[in-house]
Amino acid sequence: MLSPTKHKTRILLVDDDLDMLEALTDGLNEKGFEVAVARSAEAALVRLAEANFDVMVTDLRMTGADGLTLLAQARALNPQLPVIVMTAYSALDTAIEAVRRGAFHYLAKPFRVDELLIFVRRAFEDAQLRREAEVLRHALRVQPGPPGLLGGSAAMQELFRIIDRVAGTSAPVLITGETGTGKTLVASTIHQRSGRASAPLVALNCAALPENLLESELFGHVRGAFSGATSSSSGLFSAADGGSILLDEIGEMAMPLQAKLLHVIERGAVRPIGGTKERPIDVRILAATNRDLEQAVREGRFREDLLYRLNLVVLELPPLRERNGDLPEFIDHFLAKARARYPDSPVRNFSRAALERLLAHPWPGNVRELSHTIERLVLLGHGAVIEIEDLPRNFQAPPDSPPAFDAILPMREMQRRYAAWVLEQVDGIRAHAARRLGIDVKTLGRLLGTPEPADVEAKD
């Protein structure tokens, strides 16, 4: 955590209560902060136009324009300015609405100056890292990727630069991308390049367990907390203390559990199910998802305040079809890797025609599909050169054209035929067909007129 003596953090305090202003100003000045005050929203906007501030702390209920209005106007002037809002306990709903509109945090009166200090420092660090990440996004210098991560495309070069910058921090990182793009590998790389590398990286797939078991796995439980709890468990957050935790498929977490996760992140402490005491923890949060979490927020399936905590740094892994220039490097890498694993295989290379067919494939399963395909070819190959006829069935001929129609058909029948054609192009894998169509697997099943099969797609 940054010390105010190392950086003279500038704070703008806004409140129409003079006694409150004086008390907070004295407390913050004693801690080495530089404080300016305003007794109305209008005066605060003048201050913001005249000078730069690192953090603004404002009351919500004031004479004239209220804190929500000031929040909106301040963010219009400076979208990067973190804002902490103060409110009476009876107006917590308004404070929560302020966080939803972009406030960094809220404090219910009365509170201690030390409590405000914690969130001022966090807000400053948050804003500083966001600014640095934005600078990195515009950098043009090309550099080799971290070990295990490949790609010379512009998208991958940007990804490598941001990994280099954030790996050594404790900032939470949200890793997004389609299934098979390598989100777990990126999380592992971040952990291994951090100062936490000697401590555990604990990973959990949030879609793999029902809500009640997931809560116990994450936070632990005491003996007798629920039926079957014959012994206590410390949970994965405690197991990751000093290290990192990867919450894979975070978008699948149930809303009630999201609230508990947010509490742990904000408090830096975890309380097991059935327990009465919280235990402080020092854990870096890495989260991964193939979902659009902003869309999930709009649909009421994901908490906006939790997303705000997780997306301080977002690493978006592009699908393989959007970086075809990286394919030759990937193919060479996985070919060498497979030959080392199966030294008795005669396979040494690909024919030009086979290689062109691989390069033309859309790779709906991304890097994972490519890796598995080449490993299978090396394992089963019977000659030094892989030919087109050695490729899997869906590679051996160019994709068929979409089905043609020689009669007017009902819209439902047209949708069914087109969905069936897309499914055939991806070798019958429903999860891949649904992703290409931009729908979920259940909707695909309804289009096809068949129920969803029991097997599910492998997770990152």
Side-chain angles (χ1 to χ4, degrees):
M1 184 172 292
L2 289 179
S3 166
T5 58
K6 295 181 181 179
H7 177 96
K8 198 74 169 180
T9 308
R10 301 196 69 208
I11 302 172
L12 176 60
L13 287 177
V14 189
D15 200 327
D16 58 3
D17 184 336
L18 183 58
D19 291 338
M20 187 71 170
L21 278 181
E22 290 178 349
L24 293 179
T25 300
D26 290 344
L28 292 170
N29 281 334
E30 287 178 3
K31 299 296 183 178
F33 292 94
E34 182 179 334
V35 181
V37 300
R39 297 191 62 183
S40 68
E42 294 79 7
L45 290 172
V46 173
R47 286 278 198 175
L48 290 173
E50 292 175 344
N52 293 322
F53 293 92
D54 297 303
V55 182
M56 182 172 76
V57 182
T58 180
D59 194 19
L60 281 178
R61 292 187 175 179
M62 298 181 290
T63 303
D66 63 10
L68 286 179
T69 302
L70 174 59
L71 171 65
Q73 293 173 333
R75 287 178 62 80
L77 283 173
N78 181 2
Q80 304 302 322
L81 176 68
V83 179
I84 298 170
V85 297
M86 306 177 292
T87 186
Y89 184 80
S90 60
L92 282 183
D93 287 346
T94 308
I96 294 170
E97 174 65 15
V99 172
R100 192 186 72 78
R101 296 189 188 184
F104 179 79
H105 198 71
Y106 69 86
L107 289 170
K109 298 177 180 179
F111 55 84
R112 295 176 300 174
V113 173
D114 286 346
E115 188 176 358
L116 175 60
L117 285 174
I118 291 172
F119 292 106
V120 165
R121 286 170 172 152
R122 287 183 183 176
F124 174 75
E125 291 175 343
D126 180 297
Q128 187 179 49
L129 191 54
R130 285 181 186 272
R131 285 192 295 268
E132 292 173 354
E134 186 63 28
V135 171
L136 285 169
R137 289 191 182 97
H138 293 88
L140 297 176
R141 181 176 57 87
V142 175
Q143 61 186 50
L149 293 175
L150 304 176
S153 63
M156 294 305 293
Q157 288 297 311
E158 181 178 356
L159 179 72
F160 299 158
R161 286 192 294 271
I162 297 177
I163 287 176
D164 274 346
R165 178 63 186 89
V166 304
T169 74
S170 291
V173 178
L174 178 62
I175 308 166
T176 67
E178 295 180 3
T179 296
T181 48
K183 297 187 290 295
T184 301
L185 177 59
V186 168
S188 178
T189 299
I190 291 172
H191 175 74
Q192 293 302 323
R193 294 167 73 99
S194 75
R196 299 170 178 264
S198 59
L201 168 63
V202 178
L204 178 66
N205 189 318
C206 298
L209 295 172
E211 180 182 351
N212 58 333
L213 293 181
L214 183 59
E215 181 179 2
S216 175
E217 280 290 297
L218 286 173
F219 311 131
H221 62 263
V222 299
R223 180 180 178 182
F226 50 83
S227 178
T230 57
S231 60
S232 297
S233 170
S234 59
L236 296 183
F237 265 99
S238 294
D241 196 15
S244 308
I245 189 167
L246 169 60
L247 302 176
D248 199 4
E249 303 298 349
I250 185 72
E252 309 303 320
M253 182 178 286
M255 291 286 280
L257 195 51
Q258 291 177 31
K260 296 177 182 179
L261 174 61
L262 177 64
H263 180 78
V264 169
I265 294 173
E266 290 187 335
R267 298 277 298 176
V270 63
R271 183 173 65 185
I273 299 173
T276 57
K277 295 182 178 179
E278 289 187 333
R279 175 180 179 239
I281 54 168
D282 174 23
V283 176
R284 183 183 196 171
I285 307 293
L286 304 173
T289 183
N290 58 11
R291 302 287 188 188
D292 182 343
L293 293 187
E294 292 184 354
Q295 178 66 29
V297 168
R298 291 191 290 270
E299 295 173 355
R301 295 183 292 105
F302 201 84
R303 293 181 63 103
E304 188 174 30
D305 47 4
L306 177 58
L307 177 58
Y308 184 78
R309 295 294 184 228
L310 295 176
N311 71 352
L312 174 59
V313 177
V314 179
L315 297 179
E316 183 175 356
L317 277 63
L320 200 52
R321 64 182 175 274
E322 293 181 4
R323 45 188 172 117
N324 286 343
D326 291 337
L327 268 173
E329 182 181 4
F330 275 113
I331 291 172
D332 288 345
H333 171 77
F334 290 129
L335 177 61
K337 190 175 179 180
R339 287 182 56 196
R341 178 173 294 181
Y342 307 109
D344 294 334
S345 170
V347 173
R348 294 293 179 268
N349 216 327
F350 293 89
S351 71
R352 183 180 183 85
L355 184 59
E356 288 177 350
R357 195 59 50 82
L358 290 177
L359 294 175
H361 187 66
W363 299 107
N366 293 295
V367 177
R368 181 186 296 133
E369 181 189 2
L370 175 61
S371 171
H372 290 178
T373 298
I374 292 179
E375 182 175 357
R376 183 168 63 249
L377 290 170
V378 171
L379 175 62
L380 302 178
H382 50 76
V385 177
I386 296 291
E387 302 289 351
I388 281 186
E389 54 267 24
D390 299 318
L391 300 177
R393 179 178 58 85
N394 59 319
F395 287 80
Q396 292 178 11
D400 297 329
S401 299
F405 305 105
D406 53 8
I408 297 176
L409 299 173
M411 181 62 70
R412 187 170 184 82
E413 176 61 15
M414 290 181 64
Q415 291 176 330
R416 187 196 67 77
R417 292 193 187 185
Y418 182 68
W421 175 79
V422 173
L423 184 63
E424 183 179 353
Q425 304 313 305
V426 295
D427 211 23
I429 302 174
R430 289 194 174 206
H432 294 172
R435 185 174 300 110
R436 299 296 295 277
L437 288 167
I439 59 178
D440 58 37
V441 176
K442 289 183 179 179
T443 302
L444 176 63
R446 288 196 293 270
L447 290 178
L448 294 169
T450 57
E452 182 182 358
D455 55 309
V456 296
E457 178 185 6
K459 300 292 181 182
D460 270 340

